[in-house]
Amino acid sequence: MKVIDKVLRWAIGYSLWPVHLVTACCGVEFAHVFAPGFDAERHGVLPMPALRQCNIMIIEGTISIKMAKHVRLVYEQMPEPKYVIAMGSCASNYGVFSGSYHIVRACDVVPVDIYVPGCPPLPEAVLKAVVELQRRVIEKASKSDSESRRERWVRTEFFIIEKVEKLSDNERLISLIIGPQHPGSGHFRFTVFLEGDIIRDVEPDPGYVHRGVEKIAEQRHYISVIPMLERVSLTDPINIVLPYVHSVEKLLKIETPERARAIRTLLAELSRIGTHLYDLGILSIMLGHSTGYMWCFEIREGICEIFSRYSGSRHAPTCIIPGGVRYDMSRETMKLVRSYLRNLSEWLRAFKNMFVRNAAVKARLRDVGVISRDDARKLNIVGPNMRASGIYYDVRKDLRYEYYDKVEFEIPVQDSGDAYARMIIRILEIEQSMRIISQILDNMPEGPVISSEIISAARELNIDIEKPQDALRVLSRTVLPRGVAEAQIEAARGLTYTYVISKGDTENIYKMRLVTPSYYNLLGMMQSMIGYRLADVPAIYGSFGHFPPECDR
């Protein structure tokens, strides 16, 4: 009997099947865990789409109150024995969103076996947690008394039903709720109303990753807001921060040196490439094309490596500060960027042959989810999704912020407005981003990377600025002047707008408003599904590159 138990524990330990339940921005790094270079499947960990086949839940960061009951619902459907790994500092103790009115800890929702520190944790750390869980499973047949008692601490008030789902009262229509526990929508939910398998109406239900960043910003020093904003769009950390920094610079009346503007632009375009690769990878897996997913995340690892070399972080470099950047860019880092561009160019040619020109991909995406030019204007669609409908507009060309007035690039536009055009636009924008980065590398200006106004203020405060990051010591002792400032930039997914109010009597901002491209595009994405078949939903959803944490904020 002991031999049988030992074999059974070994089989369970190396047959850990995670449920696909994305809770927050740690999901960006979690996607890399199952991509080439890490490949969790070699450890016996294989994601499964059906809840009753899964025996492990990997919580990917923050759990909002709205999401909590769905996490619990998924957990209760999983068969015994079942285990939980919680990723990130948010899951353990709120992380950068400490003070939010809308998030809870993982242990308040489900019993947690292993916590993985980090924001977000490295893929190696997640794999180490998996190996540790396997060791625990193999060493003992059942949970100890202390582990079983963890259930008593779960806070049941989070699981009260907030509302009755609104279903169709039309006898001809079927109401189908998709997400957030559905494997096709990640941490987003919407209801489709079907006549047969034809979609007649769609109602979005966002807010499952709402963390209240605008309210939290009022409680913190204006510099401390920057790391939190990066988590709003962890795939695009540079561009999501830029409009806020521009607003603060307007209030402080400081200018950014030319070299700092060039570095910012280079990083912004790398961030744009990384976001497009992420969106293309998610689109691939939604179409059932796992090779496309693997390829996109394999080449995206290069972006993570560049950010890590430059700032020490794979996804949250926190390098854009008012008046410049925290780190100068070394020649070694620039060589790494050049090498990456060569690899990316070769990869793009192979990806076009393997995925873009694939007959099955064309059949799934062409003439599906069409948004006309007029509708794109009326629905206020932004970014590559807008340009896929034939609208020629890009904030980089219009405002010429940062270093965009010194480089040449084109704005790709498609006319068909379908899911295939939205994919093509992203491919073309990657090529233009490569063109911009190459020009900056060839003509990188010399000089400081911190504003002269900050250096002058440092002298008055008797602060020595030996490194660019020392500028934070000056900014941390600076009160924002009274006033109102706004800024907008072209993020990877489109227009991002920030509005900041300062009362001038505190280091905190009085009010901040952040409007993101995924929020702008939400209504258009829902409207684009009407009239198409239920099987087209993953293709349309994936083609928009919707990122729920960015939408919900």
Side-chain angles (χ1 to χ4, degrees):
M1 187 67 179
K2 292 183 179 180
V3 175
I4 294 176
D5 288 344
K6 187 175 181 179
V7 172
L8 180 61
R9 293 198 300 272
W10 179 89
I12 293 173
Y14 288 95
S15 298
L16 295 176
W17 297 343
V19 59
H20 183 91
L21 177 67
V22 185
T23 55
C25 51
C26 275
V28 174
E29 191 67 284
F30 182 70
H32 284 266
V33 174
F34 288 87
F38 304 104
D39 194 9
E41 292 184 17
R42 62 192 171 93
H43 291 281
V45 182
L46 178 66
M48 299 293 287
L51 304 181
R52 299 196 183 276
Q53 295 176 340
C54 300
N55 59 357
I56 178 174
M57 175 186 290
I58 301 181
I59 295 174
E60 301 161 34
T62 317
I63 300 178
S64 69
I65 294 176
K66 189 171 183 177
M67 175 68 87
K69 63 177 179 290
H70 296 282
V71 173
R72 185 68 189 186
L73 174 64
V74 170
Y75 179 79
E76 290 176 349
Q77 293 183 72
M78 295 164 57
E80 294 285 356
K82 52 190 173 185
Y83 312 94
V84 177
I85 294 176
M87 286 178 62
S89 55
C90 284
S92 60
N93 199 26
Y94 308 112
V96 296
F97 299 101
S98 176
S100 172
Y101 56 85
H102 202 246
I103 66 172
V104 298
R105 298 175 301 171
C107 64
D108 292 329
V109 182
V110 293
V112 178
D113 293 275
I114 297 177
Y115 286 98
V116 189
C119 187
L122 294 174
E124 295 91 340
V126 180
L127 293 177
K128 185 177 180 180
V130 168
V131 172
E132 172 61 20
L133 179 60
Q134 289 171 332
R135 184 190 66 79
R136 295 185 189 183
V137 171
I138 293 171
E139 286 183 356
K140 50 193 174 184
S142 60
K143 296 182 179 180
S144 64
D145 292 338
S146 61
E147 287 180 313
S148 63
R149 282 199 297 269
R150 294 172 308 170
E151 287 278 7
R152 302 176 188 175
W153 301 104
V154 172
R155 298 172 61 180
T156 56
E157 68 267 25
F158 292 141
F159 316 123
I160 300 173
I161 300 298
E162 297 175 353
K163 64 179 182 180
V164 176
E165 301 293 350
K166 180 182 177 182
L167 302 180
S168 173
D169 55 3
N170 188 328
E171 294 181 358
R172 295 183 58 192
L173 299 182
I174 300 172
S175 302
L176 179 63
I177 299 172
I178 301 178
Q181 69 272 16
H182 188 278
S185 68
H187 29 356
F188 177 62
R189 191 178 213 193
F190 55 97
T191 304
V192 295
F193 298 95
L194 302 167
E195 184 176 355
D197 70 334
I198 303 298
I199 300 171
R200 295 305 182 196
D201 196 11
V202 186
E203 288 186 1
D205 184 16
Y208 288 89
V209 207
H210 173 62
R211 295 174 284 197
V213 297
E214 294 163 324
K215 194 65 180 177
I216 300 174
E218 301 172 13
Q219 308 166 18
R220 299 186 180 177
H221 191 289
Y222 69 91
I223 291 297
S224 300
V225 175
I226 294 175
M228 178 180 63
L229 287 180
E230 288 182 320
R231 274 71 182 179
V232 171
S233 184
L234 201 62
T235 63
D236 195 17
I238 305 299
N239 287 303
I240 197 70
V241 168
L242 270 178
Y244 173 75
V245 171
H246 286 175
S247 298
V248 172
E249 288 173 342
K250 290 178 181 178
L251 291 172
L252 292 173
K253 295 181 173 59
I254 57 178
E255 294 291 333
T256 307
E258 187 178 26
R259 182 176 176 88
R261 289 190 285 112
I263 293 174
R264 283 182 177 183
T265 305
L266 187 151
L267 295 172
E269 293 308 307
L270 286 173
S271 186
R272 190 181 313 278
I273 293 172
T275 303
H276 286 340
L277 290 172
Y278 178 90
D279 291 345
L280 289 169
I282 297 303
L283 171 62
S284 301
I285 202 65
M286 285 188 170
L287 296 179
H289 199 297
S290 57
T291 303
Y293 164 81
M294 288 287 186
W295 281 30
C296 288
F297 278 88
E298 179 183 22
I299 198 66
R300 193 176 186 273
E301 272 295 320
I303 301 287
C304 299
E305 179 63 21
I306 292 170
F307 281 170
S308 181
R309 293 279 189 93
Y310 175 69
S311 69
S313 175
R314 286 165 53 88
H315 295 285
T318 319
C319 55
I320 310 297
I321 60 174
V325 291
R326 287 179 64 190
Y327 315 102
D328 200 352
M329 183 163 285
S330 66
R331 293 186 181 276
E332 289 73 19
T333 303
M334 288 192 281
K335 288 181 181 178
L336 181 62
V337 175
R338 287 187 186 276
S339 175
Y340 176 73
L341 292 183
R342 288 193 295 269
N343 294 334
L344 180 58
S345 180
E346 296 175 3
W347 175 86
L348 274 176
R349 286 194 293 268
F351 186 75
K352 289 177 183 177
N353 291 328
M354 182 269 298
F355 187 79
V356 178
R357 300 188 182 102
N358 188 304
V361 172
K362 290 181 178 180
R364 290 291 304 276
L365 299 180
R366 277 187 170 169
D367 300 322
V368 171
V370 177
I371 295 287
S372 68
R373 180 179 181 139
D374 290 340
D375 287 342
R377 290 185 185 277
K378 293 175 183 177
L379 295 169
N380 204 26
I381 294 175
V382 298
N385 301 321
M386 169 193 67
R387 292 185 283 275
S389 296
I391 299 177
Y392 183 92
Y393 179 75
D394 191 305
V395 181
R396 294 174 294 174
K397 284 284 191 182
D398 188 45
L399 297 184
R400 295 285 184 171
Y401 61 91
E402 295 298 349
Y403 207 66
Y404 289 111
D405 59 337
K406 302 292 179 60
V407 295
E408 295 181 0
F409 63 100
E410 302 297 329
I411 305 301
V413 175
Q414 296 281 298
D415 294 325
S416 58
D418 57 9
Y420 192 77
R422 290 189 283 271
M423 177 191 67
I424 292 295
I425 282 290
R426 286 168 169 81
I427 298 288
L428 297 175
E429 289 195 359
I430 289 175
E431 294 174 342
Q432 291 301 315
S433 293
M434 293 168 61
R435 181 182 174 188
I436 293 171
I437 293 170
S438 296
Q439 292 176 65
I440 294 174
L441 291 174
D442 292 338
N443 302 284
M444 178 66 76
E446 299 295 333
V449 295
I450 292 297
S451 169
S452 58
E453 290 89 349
I454 293 179
I455 295 175
S456 299
R459 295 194 189 100
E460 296 176 3
L461 296 171
N462 294 320
I463 297 175
D464 293 329
I465 299 185
E466 298 178 358
K467 298 178 180 180
Q469 53 264 42
D470 292 336
L472 290 176
R473 297 167 57 195
V474 179
L475 293 169
S476 64
R477 296 170 62 176
T478 303
V479 175
L480 281 179
R482 182 183 181 88
V484 176
E486 61 180 351
Q488 56 182 333
I489 61 100
E490 184 72 27
R493 297 185 177 98
L495 173 67
T496 301
Y497 173 82
T498 305
Y499 182 83
V500 175
I501 302 176
S502 171
K503 297 186 72 174
D505 57 356
T506 176
E507 296 172 337
N508 299 4
I509 57 176
Y510 175 69
K511 190 74 69 176
M512 182 186 77
R513 174 63 171 154
L514 174 67
V515 187
T516 59
S518 288
Y519 181 80
Y520 280 119
N521 290 326
L522 178 60
L523 180 59
M525 181 176 67
M526 297 293 99
Q527 291 294 317
S528 69
M529 297 181 185
I530 297 175
Y532 296 92
R533 297 184 181 277
L534 178 62
D536 293 324
V537 168
I540 298 172
Y541 182 87
S543 72
F544 270 86
H546 184 71
F547 195 64
E550 185 182 280
C551 175
D552 297 345
R553 302 184 301 286

